[in-house]
Amino acid sequence: MEKTSENLEAEALDVILVEAVEFCSRVDEIDTTGRSPSEVSELVTRIIEGKLELPPGKVDWLIGYFS
């Protein structure tokens, strides 16, 4: 339970996102919920090829935790 609380707090504060933006020239967020590995792979490939951008801030990672 403590680890879950820590993870929720980190998500609420966007700790990982802030670190990624600080250290990387470009950051994309992929919501893998309900997607197969091949679907995720296709999204990653399209991002690398410059055919898709998924900028951060579009996904609410906390949906479902409090409902």
Side-chain angles (χ1 to χ4, degrees), residues 19-33:
E19 289 179 2
V21 170
E22 286 177 0
F23 293 104
C24 302
S25 59
R26 177 177 167 190
V27 176
D28 288 271
E29 282 186 314
I30 300 173
D31 184 357
T32 61
T33 306

Side-chain angles (χ1 to χ4, degrees), residues 9-50:
E9 183 178 338
E11 285 296 340
L13 298 174
D14 282 331
V15 172
I16 304 303
L17 175 59
V18 169
E19 289 179 2
V21 170
E22 286 177 0
F23 293 104
C24 302
S25 59
R26 177 177 167 190
V27 176
D28 288 271
E29 282 186 314
I30 300 173
D31 184 357
T32 61
T33 306
R35 296 179 196 248
S36 70
S38 61
E39 289 173 314
V40 174
S41 174
E42 177 63 28
L43 290 173
V44 171
T45 300
R46 290 177 59 206
I47 289 169
I48 291 170
E49 292 173 344

